[in-house]
Amino acid sequence: MQYETVLVQPQGYQLPENAMPILVQLGLTYRCNLKCTHCYALYRRNRDEFTLQEIEALADQLYAAGSASLVYSHGENMIRRDFHLAAAIFRDRQFYQTLMLNGYYVRNPEQAHQLVEAGIDRTMISIDSVDPVVHDRVRGKDGAFKVAVRALSLLKDAGVRTVGFSTTIDTHNYADVGRIVEFARSLGVDAVSFMQNRYNLTGIFDRSLWPRYRATCQELYELILRNQSELDIYTHDPFMLTILDDRLTDQEARETYIGSNLCNVGTSMVSIDPVGNVSGCNFIEESIGNVREEPFQQIWDRLVERYSDRREPPTGPCTSCSSLGPCMGGCKAFHYNGKYDERCGAQRFVDHGEHGLVTARMGIPPSRKTQAPGAFLGVPRLRTAGTS
């Protein structure tokens, strides 16, 4: 069989004709029972949270705007006693729901089954190391590792469609990403997410660490390739795209890899915090508006204008960087003040030598994907606003 070689370019994801808030990072609370060393929300624990009535009104607005996927983030959302009622609101509107959690509120089979009944499609538990001591230290609580692993088992047994864990990578575990993947395989989970800790304040990134992070990115890419058919491994760092080559021969996997690593702020993603503030993502510290004060659609239109790379392409160091095409300016949470990522002050991914591994010679088969480009992994379909 002959296949046409079709290479999906990052620009196709980053510069869509019509921006739509397909993925919503939604926080129902800033509260949490842990004190993680990397937490961006540790000092934002405002208790003026959405009521259920406000959540239902917001769900209708998001549905009308074309949103189709929800990620519960910001705090430990299951602290809210009415979390399952809130999730059911989005379930009834056919949202694909991903719950980020630490595991403390899934203590028994009944609590795991409640999440299934509430329409949770994907659960991602935080596990930062295969060493319980390291994980507990990062999460700020003894016993956190044991609780997380127990919850993974309960959620699998309850029949959650996708069960996995998310790992924040930084100096404490750069050397352990391979062990983390093997741990995931041993547990029989479906997915592992690796998230680079965001150094989104000025002057705190140690550029001497960059060569080590570069090696970690390359290792993650190899792990993605080796485990394509058995374990969904993904990251959220545009810099990973600079090492993408034609060894990733499955077109759907390739598109997913590109779409899930590009910064989708202002194209297909939005963040709404527990008190209604709307931002590009939960790592960007500026608010574009508040849904308690004006309709979501008006805020979204303003947000798209603010972060549009079509209107204002990346400037500064990006203009002379050979990696601009793949990364499209990188993560906006790192550098939106002047569109500058201070990590770019040092060379990155500049080794253009042969990787020495076998490169696939066959073409890439045509895509069978129907989901929107750049949407979060797992989005089943794109919904046009106003349709059912």
Side-chain angles (χ1 to χ4, degrees):
M1 180 180 295
Q2 296 294 319
Y3 292 102
E4 178 186 359
T5 299
V6 180
L7 300 181
V8 178
Q9 299 301 313
Q11 291 88 336
Y13 291 97
Q14 189 67 22
L15 303 174
E17 290 296 327
N18 298 298
M20 183 178 293
I22 300 167
L23 169 64
V24 181
Q25 296 175 329
L26 178 64
L28 301 183
T29 184
Y30 271 130
R31 288 176 284 162
C32 186
N33 60 313
L34 301 183
K35 294 182 179 179
C36 303
T37 57
H38 56 269
C39 182
Y40 65 89
L42 193 59
Y43 303 104
R44 301 182 187 178
R45 294 183 177 171
N46 191 320
R47 291 292 297 270
D48 185 24
E49 301 164 353
F50 286 124
T51 65
L52 273 180
Q53 291 75 20
E54 287 177 314
I55 292 171
E56 186 159 17
L58 177 61
D60 287 336
Q61 291 187 62
L62 293 173
Y63 185 95
S67 301
S69 183
L70 202 70
V71 178
Y72 293 103
S73 58
H74 292 77
E76 176 56 41
N77 288 275
M78 291 188 70
I79 278 183
R80 284 188 58 145
R81 296 179 184 274
D82 59 358
F83 171 75
H84 301 87
L85 296 176
I89 290 172
F90 289 96
R91 175 202 65 198
D92 294 344
R93 288 158 180 77
Q94 298 181 300
F95 277 74
Y96 185 96
Q97 300 187 80
T98 297
L99 175 62
M100 312 294 289
L101 69 164
N102 60 35
Y104 272 90
Y105 298 91
V106 182
R107 304 182 182 92
N108 53 57
E110 181 182 2
Q111 291 175 331
H113 281 289
Q114 284 180 325
L115 290 177
V116 176
E117 293 170 1
I120 299 299
D121 300 282
R122 187 183 190 97
T123 54
M124 299 297 290
I125 292 181
S126 299
I127 294 182
D128 292 323
S129 174
V130 296
D131 183 340
V133 174
V134 174
H135 175 86
D136 291 356
R137 183 180 71 245
V138 172
R139 292 285 155 179
K141 191 166 186 174
D142 291 342
F145 180 85
K146 182 178 180 180
V147 168
V149 173
R150 178 190 64 189
L152 283 170
S153 178
L154 289 169
L155 292 166
K156 286 285 289 184
D157 291 343
V160 175
R161 290 168 58 183
T162 301
V163 176
F165 62 80
S166 56
T167 299
T168 299
I169 56 173
D170 207 331
T171 54
H172 65 273
N173 59 5
Y174 279 164
D176 294 331
V177 293
R179 293 175 60 203
I180 291 170
V181 168
E182 287 304 312
F183 182 63
R185 290 169 60 96
S186 71
L187 294 177
V189 299
D190 306 297
V192 180
S193 165
F194 288 97
M195 172 73 80
Q196 168 64 31
N197 192 14
R198 262 40 176 181
Y199 297 99
N200 57 337
L201 297 176
T202 303
I204 63 172
F205 182 73
D206 183 353
R207 292 193 179 100
S208 68
L209 297 176
W210 190 246
R212 187 176 180 188
Y213 179 58
R214 172 181 176 273
T216 301
C217 285
Q218 292 174 329
E219 182 179 2
L220 281 173
Y221 182 50
E222 298 302 328
L223 290 168
I224 290 169
L225 295 178
R226 293 177 203 152
N227 292 274
Q228 287 182 68
S229 60
E230 301 176 38
L231 181 65
D232 181 12
I233 302 173
Y234 57 99
T235 66
H236 304 283
D237 192 338
F239 294 123
M240 291 288 291
L241 292 171
T242 62
I243 54 176
L244 182 64
D245 63 20
D246 59 357
R247 283 175 291 158
L248 194 54
T249 57
D250 180 87
Q251 178 72 357
E252 183 170 356
R254 185 185 181 90
E255 291 182 7
T256 297
Y257 184 81
I258 290 175
S260 62
N261 278 280
L262 273 177
C263 180
N264 294 324
V265 169
T267 60
S268 60
M269 183 177 71
V270 68
S271 175
I272 305 175
D273 79 2
V275 298
N277 295 313
V278 180
S279 62
C281 80
N282 51 12
F283 295 111
I284 294 179
E285 297 184 348
E286 66 175 1
S287 174
I288 305 300
N290 190 294
V291 293
R292 284 171 158 170
E293 299 170 357
E294 61 180 313
F296 170 78
Q297 185 65 56
Q298 292 181 16
I299 302 173
W300 170 252
D301 292 342
R302 195 161 62 243
L303 187 149
V304 171
E305 178 68 13
R306 163 67 170 150
Y307 295 116
S308 172
D309 284 323
R310 184 180 296 279
R311 179 182 60 82
E312 182 187 355
T315 57
C318 290
T319 58
S320 60
C321 179
S322 62
S323 296
L324 176 60
C327 87
M328 292 297 292
C331 170
K332 290 183 174 69
F334 273 114
H335 67 152
Y336 206 77
N337 291 325
K339 290 196 172 183
Y340 173 71
D341 184 342
E342 67 175 15
R343 296 182 305 171
C344 298
Q347 288 183 317
R348 71 184 196 282
F349 298 109
V350 295
D351 182 6
H352 298 298
E354 301 250 348
H355 48 61
L357 300 177
V358 176
T359 298
R361 298 298 179 186
M362 65 175 289
I364 299 174
S367 174
R368 299 184 304 276
K369 282 187 68 174
T370 58
Q371 71 186 53
F376 184 73
L377 301 179
V379 176
R381 61 191 174 87
L382 171 63
R383 182 173 57 233
T384 302
T387 65
S388 59

